[in-house]
Amino acid sequence: MLNIVPESEYLLTSRLRLAVVRLNRRLRAQRTNSAVTLTQISALSCLHKCGQLTPGELAAKEGVQPPSMTRVITALEELGYATRSPHPSDGRQAIVALTDAGRAFIEADISAREAWLDKRLAELTDDERDTLAAAAEIIDRMAGNQN
């Protein structure tokens, strides 16, 4: 059966996709260090938010395969941004944590992006900021829905 999307929904879909892509591009342009890949920044952000994790937990949270995450963790260790230590109760596993340098890096990166976004938000009316606050909750809910 053919699924026909009403034109108004298609326009919203297209406009929202394009707006998210453009905003993401502008936020990426605020990066403090382009030598660190977006995948590495994502892993650092996850560790910053969640605390120390096993490589498998980090891979699952990031939606990548464990071998890919192993390469990311190795690169972060080489940069001095993450460490691996033995798991306290499971000798087959390791624990990945941010180093002080990794924490400083990700906090500076977040700060640069949020400073840019704060400037853009300050240009809006109170009603527009309220609308964006509601939209942010909806977009976050949509992003969490893996269907």
Side-chain angles (χ1 to χ4, degrees):
M1 185 166 141
L2 184 62
N3 185 11
I4 307 235
V5 177
E7 186 174 351
S8 61
E9 282 185 41
Y10 174 77
L11 291 176
L12 174 60
T13 300
S14 183
R15 289 179 60 215
L16 181 59
R17 178 192 51 77
L18 188 55
V20 168
V21 166
R22 286 180 177 156
L23 179 59
N24 189 36
R25 185 180 309 133
R26 293 298 303 267
L27 287 169
R28 281 194 322 250
Q30 308 309 309
R31 293 180 54 204
T32 57
N33 180 341
S34 61
V36 179
T37 69
L38 293 174
T39 302
Q40 292 165 350
I41 287 175
S42 185
L44 287 171
S45 294
C46 187
L47 289 168
H48 185 259
K49 178 182 176 186
C50 299
Q52 54 188 18
L53 299 166
T54 66
E57 290 169 334
L58 184 55
K61 287 184 180 294
E62 290 295 295
V64 300
Q65 294 299 313
S68 297
M69 185 52 66
T70 298
R71 289 188 293 276
V72 170
I73 294 166
T74 298
L76 293 174
E77 286 179 305
E78 290 170 0
L79 290 166
Y81 292 161
T83 60
R84 263 185 275 215
S85 58
H87 192 285
S89 62
D90 184 348
R92 300 169 297 162
Q93 296 222 36
I95 296 291
V96 181
L98 288 179
T99 63
D100 289 341
R103 187 169 286 98
F105 172 83
I106 200 63
E107 287 173 358
D109 191 73
I110 290 167
S111 180
R113 293 179 200 214
E114 288 185 356
W116 178 86
L117 196 51
D118 281 341
K119 287 179 187 175
R120 302 294 80 74
L121 289 171
E123 298 167 355
L124 303 177
T125 67
D126 288 344
D127 285 344
E128 288 171 324
R129 282 191 297 276
D130 289 345
T131 299
L132 281 177
E137 287 182 31
I138 295 166
I139 290 168
D140 192 45
R141 192 171 65 236
M142 289 170 61
N145 184 359
Q146 301 299 313
N147 291 332

